[in-house]
Amino acid sequence: MTEHRRRPTLRDIAADTGLSTAAVSYALRGLQVPEQTQARVRASAERLGYQVDPIARALSSGRTNNIGVLCGTLEDAWQQRVAAALGRALLEAGRQALIVDAANDPQREASLARQLVDQRVDGLISLPVDPRAAHWSSIADETVLVSIGDGLPGASTAAEVVFDNALAVTDALTRLADAGHRDVTVLTAASTSTPDRSAEAVVHEVAPTLSIRAVLRTAPHDLDGAAEVATSVLMGHRRPTAILCLADSIAYGVYLAAGNLGLSIPGDLSVMGYDDEPVSRVLTPPLSTYHWPVEELTTSVVERTLRAVDDGKRSRRKVISPVARVRGSIAAPPANPS
C-alpha cells in the first residue's frame, strides 16, 4: 500500500526556521518582515515542498485569482475561439479562467452568472445572451463585470468591448447589392435586437436604400439546426439569391442545405459569413466573411478586467471594427432564379 506523504504546513516551516507561524505567513506574503527573513522562509518552503493552499489564500486576501468567462453559446465557433484565447491570456497573467456555456438560454445565463459570483470569482467576463436582463445590475454590484459584444444598459460595468456591427452589416448588404442581388435573407442567432447587435434595425434601415428586399430569420449555430432553417428558406416560394449569415457557423449550415438541394455556390446562391473562422477558408468555395481581430479583443478585455480587479479602475468603451474577407462565395445572381 502506498504511503501518502503529509502536506507541509506553515507550522513545519516555522519549526524549520525557528520563527512563529504568524511571521512565516507574513514572510510568504512579503509583509512586515525583513527581506532576509523572507528569503529564509521561502527557501525553507521550497525545501519542504510547501504549496500555498488556494482556499486559505482566498480567505486571507479576498482573492481567488479566478475569472469567470460566461459564453452565450459555445455552439458558435467564434465564441469557442474567443473563450480559448481569453483562457490563455488570463493564465499568462496568473489568473484561472472558469469558462461556462449559457447555451443561448437567458435563464441559464442568469443561473450561471449567480453561480460564478457565489464561487467568489474576482471578475466576470460575459458574452451576453440577454444584455437587458435584470440580473446584470446585481452581478455588477458584487464583482467586476466586463461585457463583450454588447453593452449591459442596466449594469455598472467595469468595461465594455463591442463591435461595429452597423458597419459590417451595411458593408455586407452593399457588396451584395453591388453584385446585383435584390432578394437577400439575413440569418442571425439572436431572437431579439440587442443594444449593440441591432442587426434587425440595421437591415431594415439599410436594405431599402440599396433596393434590397431583405428578410430576417433566426437560426441556431449548430450545423444541423442551421441547415434545417436554411433548407426552409431555400425551398420557400421566393428563394433568395443571397444569404447573409451573422455567424460563420450558421453559414456552414447554408452550405450543407444548398448542397443537399443541388444548388451551387455562388452560381445559384451567394453566401456571406460574419466572423472569419479558419475553416471558412477551406470551404468550396471559400466563404466571404468579416475578420474581427481576436488578439486585439483578447488583449483589450484582459487588460481592462485586471485593471478593474487590481486597481478598481473602470475603462472607456472600446469599439472594434471588422475587415472584409472577400472570397469565392459571392457572384452575380442567376439570370433566372427559381
Side-chain angles (χ1 to χ4, degrees):
M1 182 175 179
T2 302
E3 181 179 350
H4 294 284
R5 182 182 177 188
R6 182 177 67 84
R7 181 175 179 170
T9 67
L10 290 178
R11 290 186 179 182
D12 295 321
I13 301 174
D16 185 58
T17 58
L19 299 169
S20 68
T21 54
V24 168
S25 176
Y26 285 132
L28 289 173
R29 289 181 288 160
L31 302 172
Q32 299 184 17
V33 295
E35 290 185 5
Q36 183 178 359
T37 301
Q38 292 179 33
R40 182 156 59 97
V41 168
R42 286 195 293 269
S44 174
E46 183 176 354
R47 185 172 61 256
L48 295 174
Y50 174 80
Q51 294 182 334
V52 177
D53 184 341
I55 296 176
R57 179 178 59 192
L59 290 173
S60 64
S61 68
R63 297 279 180 84
T64 63
N65 283 339
N66 291 333
I67 304 293
V69 179
L70 177 50
C71 299
T73 173
L74 289 175
E75 291 280 5
D76 180 359
W78 186 84
Q79 288 198 32
Q80 290 179 27
R81 189 152 50 100
V82 170
L86 288 171
R88 291 191 297 269
L90 287 167
L91 191 61
E92 290 174 2
R95 315 300 166 104
Q96 184 73 29
L98 304 182
I99 301 173
V100 293
D101 179 12
N104 222 24
D105 181 341
Q107 292 185 342
R108 181 172 178 178
E109 178 178 71
S111 174
L112 289 173
R114 172 48 51 193
Q115 288 179 39
L116 288 168
V117 170
D118 289 345
Q119 291 177 43
R120 301 292 189 268
V121 292
D122 296 334
L124 174 58
I125 300 169
S126 174
L127 291 82
V129 176
D130 184 2
R132 294 189 175 93
H135 65 265
W136 293 123
S137 177
S138 61
I139 295 297
D141 289 340
E142 297 180 59
T143 193
V144 167
L145 179 60
V146 175
S147 66
I148 297 177
D150 253 307
L152 305 177
S156 180
T157 53
E160 296 174 350
V161 179
V162 300
F163 309 115
D164 195 341
N165 286 290
L167 175 63
V169 172
T170 300
D171 183 82
L173 292 177
T174 301
R175 289 178 186 276
L176 291 173
D178 288 347
H181 294 279
R182 295 296 175 260
D183 284 288
V184 177
T185 293
V186 180
L187 297 182
T188 175
S191 58
T192 58
S193 178
T194 64
D196 294 291
R197 286 177 290 167
S198 52
E200 183 175 8
V202 174
V203 169
H204 289 165
E205 177 182 347
V206 173
T209 68
L210 300 170
S211 300
I212 286 178
R213 175 183 175 271
V215 176
L216 197 74
R217 291 280 301 272
T218 58
H221 287 281
D222 69 279
L223 181 64
D224 290 335
E228 182 179 353
V229 173
T231 299
S232 69
V233 169
L234 295 173
M235 293 183 68
H237 72 281
R238 185 169 178 174
R239 193 178 77 210
T241 61
I243 297 181
L244 167 61
C245 304
L246 300 187
D248 281 17
S249 54
I250 295 176
Y252 304 154
V254 176
Y255 270 61
L256 177 59
N260 290 340
L261 294 172
L263 300 175
S264 69
I265 298 173
D268 298 314
L269 177 72
S270 289
V271 183
M272 292 193 72
Y274 205 66
D275 37 41
D276 196 23
E277 284 303 309
V279 73
S280 297
R281 301 196 298 270
V282 299
L283 296 178
T284 304
L287 178 66
S288 297
T289 184
Y290 288 85
H291 177 74
W292 304 89
V294 171
E295 183 176 348
E296 178 185 350
L297 165 69
T298 302
T299 299
S300 298
V301 170
V302 171
E303 285 180 351
R304 285 161 167 75
T305 301
L306 298 186
R307 186 183 305 140
V309 169
D310 295 337
D311 303 322
K313 294 182 179 179
R314 298 184 182 277
S315 302
R316 297 178 61 184
R317 163 181 280 219
K318 181 176 180 63
V319 180
I320 293 179
S321 299
V323 177
R325 297 284 192 249
V326 181
R327 301 183 180 121
S329 64
I330 304 175
N336 297 301
S338 299

